[in-house]
Amino acid sequence: MTGPFQSLALKGLHLLDAENAHRLTVLALKSGVLSAKPAPQDPRLKVRFWDLDFPNPLGMAAGFDKNADVPDAVLNLGFGFTEVGSVTPLEQLGNPRPRVFRLSADEGVINRYGFNNEGHAAMRQRLLTRKAQSGIVGINVGANKDADDRIADYVSGITEFADLASYFTVNISSPNTPGLRDLQARSALADLLQAVVVARDARAQATGRRVPLLLKIAPDVVEEDLTDIVEEVLEKAIDGLIVSNTTVDRSGLSGQGPHKEAGGLSGRPLFRKSTIVLARARKLAGPDLPIIGVGGIDSAETAWTKIAAGADLLQVYSSLVFKGPGLVGDILAGLADRLDKHGFSSLREARDTSVDAWASEPL
């Protein structure tokens, strides 16, 4: 879906409540109404991390396909990978509606969904039906809001999906589950990471594959906490970081639209903050830890900036609300153009070229 039709469809979706528009988009993907024929991709955009070959570095972030309804339809839009969830052990309704709001003037989105999803059993059944399909599908695991033992909920997710996940994301950074971000504190994080590593390794003995484990962090961490987080990730041999989730910060907004709503802010307003934290995480982690950069990517230019600030892979979501699925091809074509411009043979050559500059920016 490109050109005038895409523009018309986006305008129509924006006449709807944001959550209803999201549901309609998922239905359109499921039915095949929304589809695309991605252009041939530049082989220089291929990247390999862990035991996975990514056809390109651009992925769909978690939150769009919460219940693994349409992972293959998403991949068919041209993405190199997709991430489903967050999924919790038990079905969870989430917070009362309305709970997602567009900030059109800022090209941002505020959501307070609260991990609404259908639970492990429903997602597992859907993923089993696509088990023979190719494509990289990560699973973002979370904890139920009323869980007595949240670490046990994360362990349950690892155990449940170790035979189906391309990689796991341990999501402790949503601002919409009370107390969840407390798991970023060093002592709690150490216990959590140790538990999920043990669970992953135990399942690897049965499945024959050691599924990569990634940790998704908030952009609102102070520098001391970020240092603790990265040190724990390295100490526990976690396979990667995702930087970052949504922010509770509202600085820099135009003041138009429902900007005072509670929840996590994503989209263009998140770009600067998430990129600074990304660069600082890269400097703390060193050159070898894979990092997925997410937050405010809405063009080839911002995608390139994330890579230059330390990202190996990229994820988008909120920008699609305003730009539509044609953005995927635009970003990939733009990245290839920039490789030509700079004379690089791979994106790895571009990584970290502005990491010092971004890391020194004030938050």
Side-chain angles (χ1 to χ4, degrees):
M1 184 174 69
T2 58
F5 181 66
Q6 175 176 288
S7 178
L8 186 63
L10 283 173
K11 288 179 180 178
L13 286 172
H14 283 211
L15 295 175
L16 301 175
D17 163 85
E19 185 166 350
N20 286 334
H22 175 218
R23 289 181 176 180
L24 184 60
T25 303
V26 172
L27 287 173
L29 282 165
K30 186 179 289 190
S31 66
V33 171
L34 176 55
S35 61
K37 293 182 179 179
Q41 295 179 12
D42 193 309
R44 294 174 299 173
L45 298 182
K46 293 180 180 179
V47 288
R48 179 176 176 84
F49 292 100
W50 315 296
D51 59 348
L52 299 172
D53 291 308
F54 295 77
N56 68 68
L58 187 63
M60 174 70 89
F64 175 78
D65 190 10
K66 294 175 181 293
N67 296 302
D69 286 304
V70 288
D72 295 297
V74 169
L75 291 171
N76 287 338
L77 294 176
F79 285 104
F81 64 107
T82 188
E83 186 171 314
V84 299
S86 294
V87 63
T88 56
L90 302 177
E91 182 177 10
Q92 189 161 269
L93 295 178
N95 294 319
R97 296 182 65 175
R99 52 192 178 179
V100 57
F101 309 89
R102 301 185 199 92
L103 305 182
S104 296
D106 298 294
E107 293 196 9
V109 175
I110 293 172
N111 93 81
R112 53 172 181 264
Y113 275 118
F115 279 1
N116 58 308
N117 73 101
E118 296 175 6
H120 284 179
M123 179 179 283
R124 180 170 181 82
Q125 190 58 42
R126 290 192 183 97
L127 290 174
L128 281 171
T129 65
R130 65 136 345 244
K131 191 171 183 180
Q133 299 292 322
S134 60
I136 296 173
V137 179
I139 300 181
N140 185 302
V141 294
N144 280 113
K145 180 179 180 179
D146 58 356
D148 293 328
D149 184 346
R150 286 182 171 168
I151 290 179
D153 277 13
Y154 287 99
V155 167
S156 176
I158 303 301
T159 302
E160 183 71 32
F161 295 106
D163 60 331
L164 295 170
S166 298
Y167 67 86
F168 282 116
T169 296
V170 177
N171 184 6
I172 58 171
S173 48
S174 169
N176 300 316
T177 297
L180 189 73
R181 288 188 172 187
D182 293 345
L183 289 170
Q184 293 180 135
R186 185 156 195 170
S187 60
L189 181 62
D191 292 341
L192 170 65
L193 295 182
Q194 181 65 31
V196 295
V197 166
V198 169
R200 186 271 310 274
D201 291 350
R203 289 290 285 133
Q205 296 179 18
T207 64
R209 180 170 181 261
R210 188 175 179 271
V211 182
L213 277 171
L214 282 69
L215 179 70
K216 187 169 186 175
I217 66 172
D220 304 312
V221 292
V222 299
E223 189 162 357
E224 180 180 344
D225 290 340
L226 181 62
T227 300
D228 287 345
I229 288 169
V230 174
E231 286 179 354
E232 284 297 329
V233 163
L234 296 176
E235 183 178 315
K236 301 296 189 296
I238 299 302
D239 300 288
L241 276 172
I242 301 182
V243 186
S244 69
N245 212 318
T246 59
T247 181
V248 295
D249 187 4
R250 297 293 187 268
S251 59
L253 292 178
S254 67
Q256 299 182 51
H259 64 284
K260 294 183 179 180
E261 292 288 346
L265 173 66
S266 58
R268 182 176 288 179
L270 178 59
F271 178 77
R272 182 179 179 277
K273 186 169 197 173
S274 62
T275 306
I276 293 170
V277 177
L278 162 69
R280 292 181 181 183
R282 169 58 69 200
K283 287 180 69 67
L284 288 166
D288 297 329
L289 184 74
I291 300 179
I292 300 178
V294 55
I297 298 171
D298 61 1
S299 63
E301 179 181 359
T302 50
W304 185 262
T305 298
K306 288 282 189 187
I307 293 167
D312 297 290
L313 297 165
L314 309 167
Q315 287 179 329
V316 298
Y317 174 11
S318 295
S319 57
L320 298 170
V321 173
F322 302 100
K323 301 290 182 72
L327 178 64
V328 178
D330 291 344
I331 289 175
L332 296 177
L335 290 177
D337 288 344
R338 282 161 176 77
L339 289 177
D340 289 335
K341 177 181 176 181
H342 293 278
F344 294 153
S345 60
S346 71
L347 291 173
R348 181 62 182 85
E349 293 180 54
R351 207 200 75 188
D352 301 344
T353 51
S354 63
V355 68
D356 290 330
W358 274 102
S360 65
E361 283 285 312
L363 282 170

